Amino acid sequence: SVDLGADTALSRVKLNWEAAYGKSYKIQTSTDGSTWTTAYSTTAGNGGTDDLTVSGHGRYVRMAATKRGTAYGYSLYEFEVYS
């Protein structure tokens, strides 16, 4: 997850995956770090770079993976958040 330091309007999230990527995952936001709202969801991830259009706001942003694309877990080179 990423702490933006203040409640921020979001427009884009960019995930740069290593070989171990998420096939199914959600981008979620939170104002308090406890209650999460889904801003984006997919079940068709294919690795590489995912440049996602999202809408919502929050201080915290996380990627919550639910299904692996490989047998090796999940690994990101970069997790970028834009407002």
Side-chain angles (χ1 to χ4, degrees):
S1 67
V2 176
D3 181 351
L4 302 175
D7 192 10
T8 304
L10 306 175
S11 62
R12 179 179 168 212
V13 170
K14 188 173 178 183
L15 304 174
N16 186 4
W17 295 97
E18 288 193 65
Y21 66 93
K23 180 146 182 85
S24 296
Y25 63 88
K26 299 174 184 178
I27 302 298
Q28 297 180 311
T29 64
S30 175
T31 56
D32 60 8
S34 296
T35 304
W36 295 91
T37 301
T38 299
Y40 176 88
S41 178
T42 187
T43 59
N46 60 1
T49 300
D50 293 333
D51 196 349
L52 313 170
T53 300
V54 300
S55 62
H57 67 93
R59 174 177 174 164
Y60 304 94
V61 183
R62 73 180 181 185
M63 186 279 298
T66 56
K67 184 175 181 184
R68 298 180 299 206
T70 69
Y72 303 106
Y74 309 100
S75 185
L76 289 167
Y77 285 118
E78 296 176 306
F79 179 15
E80 301 175 20
V81 179
Y82 298 87
S83 65

